[in-house]
C-alpha cells in the first residue's frame, strides 16, 4: 500500500512539475515574443546556397512582425565587391496586399508574396560573377524605421563538368589500371615462368652434375626445383 501511495504522490508531483514547466515555457515564450517585438527578416536556417553556373537560384527572405506592418519597405542588394547593387525594392502597404516591385536587374524576378511574408527573389542563369553576398533589407515605419537585414551567400560552382571530369577520370583510370595490372601480371607471370623453367633446367643440371652435398646446402630450393621439374619431365 505504501508503495502505491508513494507512486501516486510521485505521479502527481511529476504532473505538478509538468504544469510548472508549461507555465515557465509560456512565460518564456511571451518574454521571447516581447523581446523580439518588431520586425524580423530572415534568410532561413541555411544562409548560403551552392549552385551551378547557368542554373536559377532562389534567394530566400521572409519577414515577421508581431506589431504588424504598415508601409513596410524592403529591397535586395548584391554586394558586388564592396559596391552595393540594388536589385529590387518595394513597399508593402498593408499585410496581405501584394507589393508592386521595381526590379533593377534583368535576371531577377520577385517571387515572394505578402500573404506568406515572403520577399524572396529568383536569380536566373547565374554566372560566376553572381557569386557573393545578397542582402535582404526591410524597414517597418511602425517601429521608428529601424533597419533590418539578412545576408544570403551565393556560391557558384562548375559542378557538372567537374563531376563529369572526375567520374570519367576515375572510370578511365580504374579500367586502365585494371587492364594494365592484368597485362603486367601476365607479363610478369610469363617472365617468371620463363626464368623459373630456365632456372629449373639449370638446377636440374646442377643437381645432376653435383653431389649430395650441394643438395643438402640449399635443400628446400633444390627440392622445390625438383618438384617443379618432375611433372615436366
Ligand atoms: C559554366 O562555366 C563553364 C566554364 O566557364 C562553361 O564551360 C559551362 O558551359 C558553363 N555552364 C553553363 C550551364 O553555363
Ligand atoms: C575586388 O576588390 C579588390 C580590392 O578591394 C580588387 O583587388 C579586386 O580586383 C576586385 N575584384 C573585382 C572582381 O572587381
Ligand atoms: C536564361 O537562359 C535561357 C537560355 O539561355 C534563356 O532562354 C532565358 O531567357 C534566360 N533567362 C533570363 C531571365 O535571362
Ligand atoms: C517563398 O516563395 C518562394 C516562391 O514561391 C518559395 O519557393 C519559397 O519556398 C518561399 N519561402 C518561404 C520561406 O515560404
Ligand atoms: C537605415 O538604412 C538607411 C539606408 O538604407 C540609412 O540611411 C539609415 O540611416 C538607417 N537607419 C538606421 C536607424 O540605422
Amino acid at each position: 500500500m505504501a508503495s502505491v501511495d508513494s507512486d501516486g504522490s510521485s505521479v502527481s508531483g511529476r504532473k505538478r512539475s509538468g504544469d510548472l514547466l508549461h507555465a515557465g515555457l509560456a512565460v518564456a515564450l511571451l518574454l521571447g515574443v516581447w523581446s523580439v517585438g518588431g520586425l524580423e527578416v530572415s534568410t532561413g536556417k541555411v544562409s548560403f546556397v551552392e549552385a551551378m553556373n547557368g542554373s536559377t537560384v532562389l534567394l530566400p527572405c521572409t519577414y515577421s512582425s508581431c506589431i504588424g506592418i504598415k508601409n513596410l519597405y524592403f529591397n535586395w542588394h548584391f554586394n558586388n565587391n564592396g559596391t552595393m547593387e540594388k536589385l529590387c525594392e518595394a513597399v508593402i502597404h498593408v499585410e496581405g496586399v501584394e507589393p508592386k516591385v521595381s526590379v533593377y536587374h534583368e535576371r531577377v524576378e520577385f517571387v515572394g508574396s505578402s500573404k506568406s511574408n515572403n520577399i524572396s527573389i529568383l536569380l536566373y542563369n547565374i554566372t560566376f560573377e553572381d557569386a557573393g553576398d545578397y542582402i535582404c533589407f526591410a524597414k517597418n515605419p511602425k517601429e521608428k524605421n529601424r533597419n533590418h537585414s539578412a545576408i544570403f551567400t551565393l556560391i557558384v560552382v562548375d559542378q557538372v563538368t567537374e563531376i563529369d571530369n572526375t567520374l570519367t577520370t576515375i572510370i578511365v583510370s580504374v579500367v586502365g589500371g585494371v587492364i594494365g595490372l592484368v597485362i603486367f601480371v601476365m607479363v610478369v607471370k610469363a617472365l617468371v615462368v620463363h626464368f623459373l623453367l630456365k632456372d629449373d633446367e639449370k638446377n636440374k643440371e646442377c643437381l645432376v652434375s653435383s653431389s649430395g652435398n650441394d643438395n643438402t646446402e640449399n635443400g628446400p630450393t633444390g627440392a622445390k626445383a625438383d618438384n617443379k621439374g618432375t611433372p615436366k619431365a
Side-chain angles (χ1 to χ4, degrees):
M1 286 309 258
S3 72
V4 169
D5 264 355
S6 78
D7 245 301
S9 67
S10 83
V11 163
S12 67
R14 239 179 263 147
K15 259 186 195 163
R16 242 175 256 139
S17 70
D19 283 348
L20 265 179
L21 203 75
H22 283 151
L25 266 178
V27 168
L29 271 177
L30 271 177
L31 280 179
V33 163
W34 263 124
S35 66
V36 168
L39 190 70
E40 285 263 294
V41 287
S42 161
T43 54
K45 278 187 189 130
V46 182
S47 60
F48 71 92
V49 67
E50 209 176 279
M52 278 175 277
N53 62 330
S55 63
T56 295
V57 293
L58 176 77
L59 306 177
C61 187
T62 55
Y63 62 86
S64 62
S65 176
C66 295
I67 59 171
I69 59 154
K70 191 165 192 297
N71 295 334
L72 174 95
Y73 168 82
F74 74 85
N75 67 32
W76 273 93
H77 275 92
F78 172 50
N79 184 353
N80 191 359
N81 207 17
T83 54
M84 288 297 182
E85 237 174 69
K86 195 189 278 179
L87 303 176
C88 69
E89 65 181 339
V91 172
I92 301 176
H93 294 293
V94 195
E95 240 159 320
V97 171
E98 298 300 341
K100 201 169 165 288
V101 182
S102 312
V103 179
Y104 308 112
H105 190 291
E106 67 270 18
R107 285 181 290 116
V108 164
E109 186 190 334
F110 178 77
V111 292
S113 165
S114 59
K115 287 188 182 67
S116 49
N117 294 357
N118 187 335
I119 47 176
S120 307
I121 57 173
L122 276 185
L123 182 60
Y124 285 96
N125 300 347
I126 58 170
T127 66
F128 291 106
E129 284 80 53
D130 292 332
D133 287 344
Y134 291 80
I135 298 108
C136 170
F137 171 95
K139 198 159 69 170
N140 191 6
K142 257 193 167 178
E143 40 175 318
K144 291 184 184 165
N145 277 339
R146 245 179 77 197
N147 290 341
H148 301 273
S149 64
I151 298 179
F152 193 78
T153 306
L154 174 64
I155 301 160
V156 182
V157 292
D158 198 5
Q159 211 174 15
V160 166
T161 46
E162 233 171 66
I163 280 181
D164 255 30
N165 280 347
T166 44
L167 253 184
T168 317
T169 310
I170 286 169
I171 290 169
V172 163
S173 48
V174 164
V175 169
V178 165
I179 291 173
L181 198 70
V182 166
I183 291 172
F184 180 71
V185 164
M186 282 166 78
V187 164
V188 165
K189 205 177 161 190
L191 282 177
V192 164
V193 165
H194 184 75
F195 281 111
L196 265 186
L197 282 179
K198 263 197 177 166
D199 255 358
D200 277 359
E201 270 161 30
K202 260 186 208 163
N203 270 356
K204 250 188 251 167
E205 276 167 32
C206 278
L207 281 175
V208 166
S209 67
S210 67
S211 63
N213 260 350
D214 215 318
N215 209 7
T216 45
E217 244 177 65
N218 45 15
T221 40
K224 255 185 210 162
D226 222 39
N227 276 350
K228 271 197 179 164
T230 32
K232 260 253 150 183

